[in-house]
Amino acid sequence: MGIASLWKLLTEEGVVRKLSGSDPSQHHTLLSELDGTAIAVDLSAWIMQADQQLALLPHFGRTERCMKVALERSIQWLRHGCLPVIVVEGRAPAEKLAAVQARYAARNGVDGGGRGSSSFIALGKSVGVMLQQLGLPVFYSPGEAEATCAALVRAGRVDAAASFDSDTMVHGAERVYHTLKLSTLKPGECELVSCDLGDIRKALGIQRGGQVALSVIAMLAGSDYDLVGTSGVGSVGSLKLLRHLLGPGAQDDSGVLEALEALVARPPDAELAALTKCTGCKRCGHEGGRKGAVARHTPKNPCPCCAELDAAGAGRGPAGEEGDGAGAARAEGCRARAFARCDCAFHRREAERGVEAIARRIRADAAPLAAARAAAAVFQREAGAADAYVAARAAELGGAPGARLHWLHRPRTLAVWAELERRRVKLTWDLPMLRGKLLPLLLDWDLAHSGEENGAGEGGAGETRPEFWAREVQKVQGGAAAGPRKAAGAAAGAA
């Protein structure tokens, strides 16, 4: 879940980018962006989405269903030149587990379960083991998958993270794909929805950070650490407060939590509290001189501002001096409004009133502020553990420190089949069907690694010769909707 309504808020702020395969130019941009990249995938998202595909329920058991969705998505990503680096969920922090399980119980009517539970972790590991047989790098997170995804981005091992959990951005992932749907059979259904932390910083007017600012929004709007947040504030109100706390000229958000605590500790502003309604003139927009709004100033209730404006326009002195201009202004009472916004104190100090109202709500319930402090400590702890794990696991997988992860070996069809067979309940696939699904990957691998040792092939025996090799190269050119020209290889098979 992450921060309540954060993606909706970011969309309204114009920092969420969307590409649709139904638009040929956008589809081309999508393909170009993903080709040659490695993206850390929060496997929990795929598992939860597999659980929601009702059409699969009659034909697959739960583990089979999750394996099917993860396998087919991985195939699609690889065929689009994008390496999915799988991150399996670990144990949720104690500070978060209670909220996660409470939400699971509310949705399903039973206690326990949800992300971070033992059964969910076991399910993720089963899917992860199968995906390893495709040659994908798989990371078994010691804690939250979002933290490990962000750590992979920080370490330079991947280009971005894919997760609909907004906590991934709070953990510091610079680019997060909320939605990444890829299809070779139906390119018009491809879809990409992403957000860059740099764009969030730009929207907040800061140069560095962003994670602390997002954690403040989480505290006020609600998150996995506090499902309710501060009553009556919401994500929009949280953003208004955040911009006030940062102020003009802020370089980063490192002091925003302290600024919030100082605001809450400050005594209530009685002057702001007294501003409960408009006291302006509906004709000129200046203060009306009464307890409420007035239709217009009158000679008995003249507008000093209008008098000064008229006197200045006539080359006279300010109101109160002798002169026809000032007298005429007082006789008229007020001029027609020269600006759109009412200039009374109630409207002029609207932003301050909003901030004070939020502060008043936080003063009434200090729990969210304490939750923010606790969450910040948890994020820091999880980040440290994730960084250490990523460094160790990436070293096991090979490659220079900081180098992007790569497709590790040729898909092992028999090993993938063995994992599916081990958990067969309703599965109707047979080995030839699985091989047909993997055939494009086997072909791609062999064409890219022609002449290399295939020791990690299907049987694990040291094959010195690929199963497929290029026989000819054809230039394929489609219509205007088919995208850019590309070269396609025709291959001959050994079997």
Side-chain angles (χ1 to χ4, degrees):
M1 174 185 172
I3 305 171
S5 303
L6 180 63
W7 280 99
K8 180 176 181 290
L9 176 66
L10 295 176
T11 300
E12 293 169 351
E13 286 294 311
V15 296
V16 172
R17 191 167 56 105
K18 298 181 179 181
L19 297 174
S20 172
S22 60
D23 183 322
S25 63
Q26 290 188 21
H27 185 240
H28 176 51
T29 302
L30 183 153
L31 296 178
S32 300
E33 178 175 322
L34 296 179
D35 189 31
T37 61
I39 298 178
V41 179
D42 180 353
L43 185 61
S44 302
W46 287 5
I47 290 176
M48 293 170 72
Q49 288 165 347
D51 272 341
Q52 295 167 1
Q53 294 189 21
L54 300 181
L56 300 180
L57 293 180
H59 311 291
F60 299 89
R62 189 189 185 201
T63 302
E64 294 172 325
R65 186 165 65 248
C66 295
M67 285 182 159
K68 173 190 184 298
V69 169
L71 176 66
E72 292 179 343
R73 289 189 182 182
S74 296
I75 292 171
Q76 288 295 334
W77 283 40
L78 288 168
R79 294 191 66 184
H80 281 81
C82 175
L83 175 71
V85 176
I86 305 301
V87 180
V88 179
E89 184 78 13
R91 177 65 61 179
E95 297 88 343
K96 179 178 179 178
L97 187 59
V100 172
Q101 292 186 339
R103 185 170 62 242
Y104 180 87
R107 287 178 177 175
N108 299 281
V110 294
D111 294 332
R115 290 182 57 170
S117 68
S118 298
S119 59
F120 194 91
I121 293 171
L123 176 58
K125 288 181 176 179
S126 297
V127 178
V129 169
M130 177 197 67
L131 295 178
Q132 279 184 255
Q133 306 306 328
L134 290 182
L136 303 183
V138 178
F139 287 72
Y140 298 91
S141 179
E144 294 189 281
E146 310 96 271
T148 301
C149 287
L152 283 162
V153 176
R154 280 195 301 274
R157 295 295 189 168
V158 298
D159 300 284
S163 174
F164 54 60
D165 194 323
S166 52
D167 278 353
T168 312
M169 284 184 285
V170 184
H171 280 291
E174 285 293 327
R175 171 170 291 181
V176 176
Y177 291 103
H178 176 276
T179 303
L180 191 52
K181 182 179 179 181
L182 302 174
S183 174
T184 52
L185 292 177
K186 299 178 180 180
E189 295 184 359
C190 291
E191 183 182 5
L192 180 154
V193 178
S194 69
C195 183
D196 288 2
L197 197 54
D199 290 333
I200 295 177
R201 287 192 285 264
K202 188 180 299 182
L204 293 174
I206 57 178
Q207 304 296 320
R208 301 178 299 275
Q211 299 97 299
V212 179
L214 290 174
S215 70
V216 169
I217 294 178
M219 178 270 289
L220 295 172
S223 69
D224 287 341
Y225 294 90
D226 183 356
L227 295 180
V228 178
T230 302
S231 176
V233 177
S235 56
V236 175
S238 302
L239 181 59
K240 290 180 180 178
L241 175 62
L242 185 59
R243 284 180 165 140
H244 171 81
L245 295 174
L246 289 170
Q251 295 297 306
D252 58 48
D253 60 346
S254 58
V256 73
L257 197 52
E258 290 75 12
L260 176 59
E261 291 175 331
L263 173 67
V264 174
R266 190 178 69 193
D269 190 321
E271 184 178 346
L272 284 174
L275 299 175
T276 58
K277 57 184 177 180
C278 175
T279 56
C281 170
K282 296 180 180 179
R283 176 173 171 79
C284 69
H286 298 133
E287 280 288 356
R290 297 289 187 263
K291 292 182 178 180
V294 298
R296 61 176 293 160
H297 287 90
T298 67
K300 292 183 178 180
N301 177 32
C303 178
C305 297
C306 287
E308 291 173 3
L309 290 170
D310 282 345
R316 308 288 184 179
E321 292 186 5
E322 293 183 3
D324 293 339
R330 284 196 296 272
E332 182 185 355
C334 60
R335 309 186 328 153
R337 183 177 299 208
F339 44 87
R341 181 180 175 83
C342 180
D343 199 41
C344 76
F346 177 81
H347 286 106
R348 191 173 63 253
R349 304 187 69 181
E350 183 176 4
E352 296 174 76
R353 290 190 297 104
V355 169
E356 181 63 23
I358 295 174
R360 189 163 57 247
R361 292 180 180 276
I362 300 174
R363 293 185 190 112
D365 181 8
L369 191 56
R373 275 293 183 194
V378 174
F379 280 125
Q380 185 174 8
R381 186 183 73 220
E382 287 278 310
D387 286 339
Y389 170 71
V390 163
R393 176 61 175 159
E396 292 176 3
L397 297 175
R404 183 192 289 124
L405 290 164
H406 61 281
W407 194 2
L408 297 175
H409 59 72
R410 190 175 192 266
R412 300 166 177 164
T413 306
L414 296 179
V416 173
W417 176 248
E419 294 300 324
L420 291 170
E421 276 282 270
R422 187 174 294 118
R423 292 160 182 85
R424 178 187 291 273
V425 177
K426 301 179 182 179
L427 186 68
T428 58
W429 292 0
D430 55 18
L431 183 56
M433 184 181 296
L434 174 64
R435 179 171 167 79
K437 290 179 177 292
L438 295 181
L439 192 59
L441 299 188
L442 298 172
L443 176 62
D444 285 350
W445 177 274
D446 285 352
L447 292 179
H449 298 80
S450 180
E452 295 182 11
E453 178 78 12
N454 265 335
E458 292 193 37
E463 297 178 357
T464 58
R465 174 173 166 275
E467 184 179 7
F468 302 98
W469 63 94
R471 186 177 62 197
E472 61 179 311
V473 176
Q474 298 177 343
K475 179 185 288 186
V476 178
Q477 180 178 356
R485 297 182 181 183
K486 60 182 179 179

